[in-house]
Amino acid sequence: MGLTHFLLLGTALFCLGLYGLLSKRNAIAILMGIELMLNAVNINLIAFNKYVAAGSYTGQVFSVFVIVVAAAEVAVGLALVLAIYKDRLSTNVDDLDWLKW
């Protein structure tokens, strides 16, 4: 398997995540789409690290950083979703109209 296979896999995962982000109305499904997009970025970082700069660990370090950011994003996102669900009894993002008059 070459670099192109990994890039195609990353592209497919990113497109699935983007579709989930733009088409879903459930807040948890939107968070799952963002996670898919971040995992696609991780695949691309590791693939470029292996095939372009084989002697360095730059792609792996960036990948670990993205994983840490994704974990923080999930923790904060789920806390917000639970707080909103407790108040509104819905995780539908169309129901979040607090700033409307």
Side-chain angles (χ1 to χ4, degrees), residues 10-65:
T11 304
L13 275 179
F14 192 86
C15 289
L16 282 173
L18 187 64
Y19 175 74
L21 179 74
L22 296 177
S23 68
K24 302 295 181 186
R25 294 292 168 230
N26 188 351
I28 296 175
I30 290 173
L31 288 174
M32 288 172 49
I34 293 171
E35 288 298 317
L36 270 177
M37 292 168 63
L38 290 173
N39 285 331
V41 169
N42 282 339
I43 289 174
N44 287 338
L45 285 171
I46 298 295
F48 276 121
N49 184 46
K50 181 179 179 187
Y51 288 104
V52 176
S56 69
Y57 295 107
T58 308
Q60 294 173 3
V61 170
F62 279 126
S63 180
V64 169
F65 180 71

